[in-house]
Amino acid sequence: MTVPEDGNWLDTARRALSQTSFLILDAPAQAQLAVADLPEAADAILLNASARDRDLRHTA
């Protein structure tokens, strides 16, 4: 799924997580952290495809 530039990351992530528990995120770090905080993402595997922020690797 693609999120338009002015689109809602969380709504799109929820729709994707209703279909799969494996997401590859090409998104800013803040958007990735917000997706990871969704209850729907609790058991999901989220892969960072583009954000260079090293803090994403150490966030539990």
Side-chain angles (χ1 to χ4, degrees):
M1 296 182 170
T2 301
V3 179
E5 204 169 300
D6 62 344
N8 187 308
W9 284 98
L10 298 180
D11 288 344
T12 303
R14 283 186 185 100
R15 281 197 317 272
L17 288 164
S18 74
Q19 298 173 16
T20 183
S21 61
F22 183 83
L23 298 183
I24 299 171
L25 301 169
D26 182 4
Q30 283 300 101
Q32 292 192 37
L33 291 171
V35 170
D37 285 340
L38 291 172
E40 298 90 340
D43 295 323
I45 295 172
L46 307 176
L47 296 177
N48 168 21
S50 62
R52 296 180 185 257
D53 191 336
R54 290 182 182 257
D55 289 340
L56 287 174
R57 294 184 184 97
H58 302 292
T59 302

